[in-house]
Amino acid sequence: MKLERTAAIDRFNVRLLVVGTGDVVPFATLPRLLRAGDLVVLNDAATLPASLHGRTALGAAFELRLSGPIAPHALRGVLLGDGDHRTRTENRGAPPLLRVGDRVQLAGFPATVTSATGRMVELATRLPDDELWQRIYAAGAPVQYAHRPELIPLYSVQTAYAARPWAVEMPSAGRPLTWDILLGLRANGIELATLTHAAGLSSTGDDALDRALPWPERYEIPRRTADAVARTKANGGRVIAIGTTVVRALESAVVIEPPRCDGTVAPARVAAGSGVATLRIDPAYTPRIVDGLVSGLHVPGESHFELLSAFAPREILERALGGAVAHDLSTHELGDSCFVLR
């Protein structure tokens, strides 16, 4: 099954496919699909201009797509050959071979290769942090793919509540959450909480690298969010994740308490603090914290579809996708959305 439509949808006009019922409704009706006492958790990571072009000392062109947040004096990412997003990622030419110690020009500043494993590299620069950030924002662009031929401005891949610039691709499930909808959730007695998750690349064009996606990704869960999750669970409410990144962060931070002396088991809880999400969620996984999620539309074979399969049987998801095709819904990061409950 294939969703053919890839047109960008204005964030105010996104439609929401309700998995299970098959209903297709305006995204703005989300507050009415939830109930008082539920908790909606958002990923507040802002999107970086994570596509950076450079040249080797011999003049060979390449693109570096960052694979995680910018560290002091260091950039990590995946190399692509010369070209731009108008060529499908898997059809881009091979990048120049870089070795440890090689010097390159990246986004107009010098950098040195400190680690290289195939197309995955780490570069170091001596630029002061402030100047490094200025250069990246001046010369970088959002990561984008061939199904969007027009250049996407950085502002169009930010959520309304974006905070720290950690994401190399937009946490796009939150794109249609306008302030009107967020206020509507609060007015309906639904609590809001945030975490920060470094949403990574969705494709590299390299089969071996793509099969390993999603890679380990950094996250940080505030104490107030961990407390809100515990309070919601104790009161019988549901935890609703906005996006697969929120699911991965919350489920990676689960703490399972040992059985009590009387043999009873305390409910799973979420640990506050920083961590690295290494969990791969698939149909065999039983979510311990998240009861439902809002996501983009994904098809079998994608890692995000495997994650959705932890919340609904494959046949129900495929039936829902049939409805998405019938309603001409749009897929990819700037398209329509779906809502699924366990």
Side-chain angles (χ1 to χ4, degrees):
M1 183 179 301
K2 186 176 181 181
L3 291 166
E4 300 287 349
R5 191 171 182 228
T6 61
I9 306 299
D10 182 274
R11 70 179 71 209
F12 296 97
N13 295 314
V14 169
R15 289 180 290 173
L16 185 67
L17 170 68
V18 182
V19 175
T21 68
D23 294 335
V24 175
V25 298
F27 193 95
T29 63
L30 178 65
R32 299 202 292 273
L33 298 177
L34 304 181
R35 61 192 184 211
D38 286 345
L39 172 69
V40 168
V41 185
L42 316 166
N43 180 4
D44 67 4
T47 308
L48 287 159
S51 171
L52 306 169
H53 287 268
R55 290 190 178 273
T56 68
L58 297 177
F62 64 87
E63 178 186 353
L64 177 74
R65 290 185 178 175
L66 299 180
S67 59
I70 298 169
H73 309 293
L75 302 170
R76 299 178 183 87
V78 176
L79 294 173
L80 285 80
D82 191 18
D84 60 27
H85 70 279
R86 293 177 180 84
T87 300
R88 290 172 60 88
T89 305
E90 57 269 30
N91 295 337
R92 291 278 289 271
L97 179 64
L98 295 182
R99 297 183 173 89
V100 173
D102 286 351
R103 296 183 178 182
V104 300
Q105 287 287 318
L106 181 69
F109 60 84
T112 303
V113 180
T114 56
S115 175
T117 305
R119 290 174 52 195
M120 300 185 69
V121 298
E122 181 174 330
L123 305 174
T125 175
R126 294 183 179 179
L127 289 179
D129 287 346
D130 286 351
E131 186 176 352
L132 175 61
W133 282 94
Q134 290 171 10
R135 295 289 189 95
I136 288 172
Y137 271 84
V143 171
Q144 67 178 100
Y145 298 96
H147 57 270
R148 302 268 185 259
E150 71 285 357
L151 286 173
I152 298 174
L154 186 61
Y155 69 80
S156 72
V157 290
Q158 308 294 350
T159 60
Y161 44 83
R164 288 176 291 180
W166 275 26
V168 299
E169 290 191 17
M170 184 184 189
S172 54
R175 187 179 72 96
L177 276 170
T178 64
W179 282 108
D180 283 345
I181 297 174
L182 293 170
L183 292 171
L185 290 167
R186 292 295 299 272
N188 282 16
I190 298 154
E191 191 173 358
L192 301 175
T194 62
L195 56 79
T196 309
H197 182 285
L201 292 171
S202 59
S203 176
T204 69
D206 181 287
D207 286 342
L209 292 178
D210 284 353
R211 283 195 297 272
L213 293 171
W215 297 329
E217 294 166 335
R218 182 181 174 191
Y219 67 84
E220 186 173 295
I221 299 175
R223 166 56 59 189
R224 61 183 179 276
T225 296
D227 290 345
V229 169
R231 183 170 59 251
T232 299
K233 290 292 189 180
N235 293 334
R238 301 172 298 183
V239 175
I240 307 299
I242 303 298
T244 58
T245 58
V246 174
V247 176
R248 199 168 184 229
L250 290 175
E251 296 292 330
S252 294
V254 168
V255 176
I256 305 295
E257 303 287 356
R260 301 186 180 106
C261 295
D262 61 2
T264 60
V265 178
R269 62 181 178 87
V270 169
S274 300
V276 176
T278 58
L279 188 63
R280 291 183 66 85
I281 299 176
D282 58 24
Y285 181 83
T286 300
R288 294 177 169 88
I289 297 295
V290 181
D291 300 294
L293 76 152
V294 172
S295 174
L297 297 170
H298 303 287
V299 297
E302 297 178 354
S303 62
H304 289 340
F305 182 88
E306 295 301 302
L307 187 149
L308 289 173
S309 298
F311 292 85
R314 183 186 180 99
E315 59 269 20
I316 291 179
L317 292 174
E318 291 185 342
R319 192 182 313 134
L321 287 174
V325 172
H327 284 87
D328 197 28
L329 298 189
S330 183
T331 186
H332 295 295
E333 72 281 2
L334 302 182
D336 293 303
S337 300
C338 71
F339 173 56
V340 56
L341 285 170
R342 281 202 292 138

